[in-house]
Amino acid sequence: MALAVKPVPNADPAYWDAALETQSRAEWDRMKLALLKKHLHHAYAGSPYYRASFDAAGVHPDQVKSLDDIRRFPFITKSTIRDRQNAAPPFGDLCAVPERDIVYISASSGSTGVPTASPFTAQDFEDWMDYEARQFWSSGLRPDDRYCHSLNFSLFVGGPCVLGAQKLGALSIHAGTVPSDRLLQILQQFQATAMWTTPSYAWYLGETAIKEGIDLKKDLAIKRIFVAGEPGGSIPETRNRIEGLWGASVYDYYGLSDIFGSCAGMCEEKDGLHWAEDHILVEVLDPKTGEPVAEGERGEMVLTTLKKSARPMIRFRTGDIVSFTSEPCACGRTSQRMRGVHGRLDDMLIIKGVNIFPSDVEAIARKDHDLTGEYKLVLERINHLDHLTIEIERIHGFNGTDEELAARFAKHLKAVTGVSGTIRVLPADTLPRATHKAKRIEDRRTGVWS
């Protein structure tokens, strides 16, 4: 892998690559189609699985004449990746290059099964780091910043993203997932101006600092917080609470181990997440019919890689429920933007026929400043019917009544989601705080936390 270097000064300092980032939508589509055709041929020629899968579906890369033609090709899922890896270890027959060309692997956390490896060639890795640098640049990170990387380095795809910060020239501190007191010490000692973590941990770390007598706005120098791993960063109410706590700007990023660390991220406008359209072809589909949803509507995000040669992902069903817009961004970038991850198919709850995601509840909990912002959803089966209880916390020093808070929350919940439930108000600091990804659902029907 090539060493990261400081960038050549840009002709337009607002962009990492102005010609690419500001091209017209027609130019984006022409680029994506050319990349798609080449990539499908690579997958067909190099991967035994894709060759057999395409043949069985009666499709061939030569048949692709437009971007819509991708819909003729079969889906893959996380189970496909796991099954193929188990059938042909260590990487599976989805791989389209020989092992000698693979220089790096990340792996999923394994929270829903056996961890799956995600291989990269040297060019895959370099393309990934260039995109990370471009995304950091769009979020305002610059060579004079001190960037603290506070994500897990243990095979996690978010670990190497620190090299993107180094590539653009920022001083980079590889902190990893050290204990919170140690991380606060590092932030204070080096006066880091930016860091990356999860939304839950950004909130937890801020609360911990205050309890330890650290003034986040005077004793620390953090001006930018990049978050990923949970839907919270795209929820304005959550982002606003974290920004108010830290006195810093929060930028949401989206990535997944099966492709690379960041596939989308917020620019300084923070009006949605710009997709890396030169790396991924995105479909947003109705999970039941498989048909594209209208712009602004919610659907499952399906991703096709356009460059990653080690293991192409052709029509990968992410399970993430998103919405998107093609409206121009005030930053001048022309890529389509994801309006955020609203939830996951496996996190979606159906209460009396109505779909509800934890992110819907989070927006209400974080908007009410008489609440700490922490919450938990408890599902039970009572008299053969599913019942939802939402536990929330009042802030220290709240002068009203729990009944008042519960009634207000229930009213907002009904107005926003159409769902009714029991609202249980708890004292501050009752619910557990997350130090990585928060678990918000306790399903007492099955005994499962998620």
Side-chain angles (χ1 to χ4, degrees):
M1 289 176 282
L3 292 175
V5 297
K6 290 181 183 290
V8 175
N10 297 306
D12 186 340
Y15 306 101
W16 182 256
D17 185 340
L20 172 71
E21 295 173 75
T22 62
Q23 67 184 332
S24 69
R25 288 307 310 164
E27 289 171 318
W28 275 114
D29 287 346
R30 282 193 292 271
M31 171 187 282
K32 289 190 293 184
L33 182 58
L35 290 171
L36 177 63
K37 290 178 178 180
K38 181 179 178 180
H39 198 58
L40 288 173
H41 275 285
H42 170 72
Y44 187 81
S47 163
Y49 173 82
Y50 281 122
R51 188 180 310 114
S53 174
F54 292 177
D55 287 347
V59 293
H60 190 276
D62 287 341
Q63 298 169 344
V64 174
K65 308 300 180 186
S66 73
L67 292 174
D68 288 341
D69 289 336
I70 191 63
R71 293 171 55 200
R72 302 172 63 181
F73 289 77
F75 294 114
I76 62 170
T77 65
K78 193 72 171 181
S79 294
T80 309
I81 299 171
R82 186 171 292 112
D83 291 345
R84 301 323 303 166
Q85 178 177 291
N86 292 341
F91 304 119
D93 55 8
L94 284 163
C95 281
V97 300
E99 184 177 337
R100 65 178 177 272
D101 292 342
I102 295 172
V103 300
Y104 174 78
I105 61 167
S106 65
S108 70
S109 64
S111 59
T112 56
V114 177
T116 54
S118 181
F120 294 78
T121 67
Q123 187 59 54
D124 293 340
F125 196 90
E126 181 61 33
D127 288 344
W128 172 18
M129 289 306 112
D130 184 72
Y131 176 71
E132 294 293 348
R134 187 207 312 173
Q135 186 53 57
F136 279 134
W137 192 276
S138 76
S139 302
L141 197 70
R142 292 294 183 268
D144 58 357
D145 275 302
R146 296 170 183 172
Y147 167 77
C148 185
H149 196 67
S150 309
L151 294 175
N152 191 348
F153 285 103
S154 180
L155 287 178
F156 175 47
V157 74
C161 295
V162 65
L163 300 179
Q166 289 180 200
K167 187 179 180 72
L168 67 73
L171 186 157
S172 298
I173 304 162
H174 297 223
T177 50
V178 296
S180 57
D181 58 345
R182 176 63 177 141
L183 179 57
L184 288 168
Q185 183 183 45
I186 290 170
L187 295 179
Q188 193 164 8
Q189 177 183 355
F190 295 108
Q191 288 293 287
T193 59
M195 69 174 178
W196 191 351
T197 184
T198 65
S200 293
Y201 192 66
W203 183 261
Y204 170 82
L205 188 67
E207 286 188 324
T208 300
I210 292 170
K211 290 176 183 177
E212 294 184 3
I214 296 173
D215 189 318
L216 294 171
K217 300 170 186 178
K218 292 181 179 179
D219 298 332
L220 302 182
I222 293 293
K223 301 301 179 191
R224 286 179 170 79
I225 303 174
F226 310 114
V227 297
E230 300 169 344
S234 294
I235 301 171
E237 292 81 4
T238 294
R239 199 166 62 248
N240 291 342
R241 291 288 288 269
I242 297 173
E243 289 181 338
L245 183 67
W246 282 85
S249 292
V250 174
Y251 303 87
D252 191 32
Y253 283 17
Y254 172 90
L256 65 170
S257 64
D258 303 293
I259 297 182
F260 54 62
S262 297
C263 299
M266 284 181 170
C267 67
E268 291 196 89
E269 296 295 329
K270 294 188 281 190
D271 186 18
L273 286 72
H274 290 268
W275 275 322
E277 289 194 80
D278 53 327
H279 291 280
I280 53 173
L281 177 65
V282 185
E283 302 171 80
V284 182
L285 308 177
D286 183 306
K288 294 181 180 179
T289 67
E291 294 298 312
V293 302
E295 189 168 325
E297 297 296 319
R298 294 185 179 188
E300 181 184 6
M301 182 164 59
V302 175
L303 298 178
T304 294
T305 52
L306 295 174
K307 292 181 180 177
K308 191 179 178 186
S309 61
R311 188 184 67 191
M313 292 280 96
I314 310 300
R315 303 202 81 198
F316 176 60
R317 297 188 66 161
T318 66
D320 289 323
I321 301 299
V322 307
S323 57
F324 74 98
T325 180
S326 298
E327 290 295 316
C329 182
C331 74
R333 292 172 179 84
T334 52
S335 49
Q336 289 181 321
R337 284 166 290 141
M338 180 168 66
R339 288 301 194 187
V341 178
H342 304 293
R344 286 190 52 79
L345 280 176
D346 48 12
D347 280 346
M348 184 177 74
L349 306 178
I350 303 176
I351 307 297
K352 298 179 180 179
V354 179
N355 297 345
I356 183 173
F357 292 96
S359 58
D360 296 324
V361 176
E362 180 166 319
I364 302 168
R366 297 284 163 86
K367 193 171 185 178
D368 191 329
H369 286 261
D370 287 328
L371 302 176
T372 66
E374 293 296 330
Y375 66 97
K376 184 173 80 172
L377 289 77
V378 180
L379 273 176
E380 300 172 284
R381 187 156 289 141
I382 300 174
N383 296 327
H384 307 290
L385 295 175
D386 289 340
H387 182 78
L388 173 66
T389 297
I390 299 176
E391 296 181 348
I392 54 178
E393 291 181 345
R394 59 178 179 269
I395 61 171
H396 290 290
F398 175 64
N399 293 321
T401 66
D402 289 350
E403 291 75 16
E404 173 192 343
L405 274 181
R408 189 165 75 209
F409 193 95
K411 180 180 178 181
H412 291 156
L413 179 71
K414 182 69 173 180
V416 171
T417 69
V419 170
S420 299
T422 298
I423 311 301
R424 183 177 299 140
V425 180
L426 306 173
D429 301 323
T430 300
L431 295 172
R433 267 46 176 176
T435 56
H436 188 46
K437 289 188 178 183
K439 296 184 181 298
R440 302 293 189 185
I441 303 172
E442 182 182 357
D443 193 340
R444 293 178 181 170
R445 301 169 304 175
T446 60
V448 172
W449 269 85
S450 61

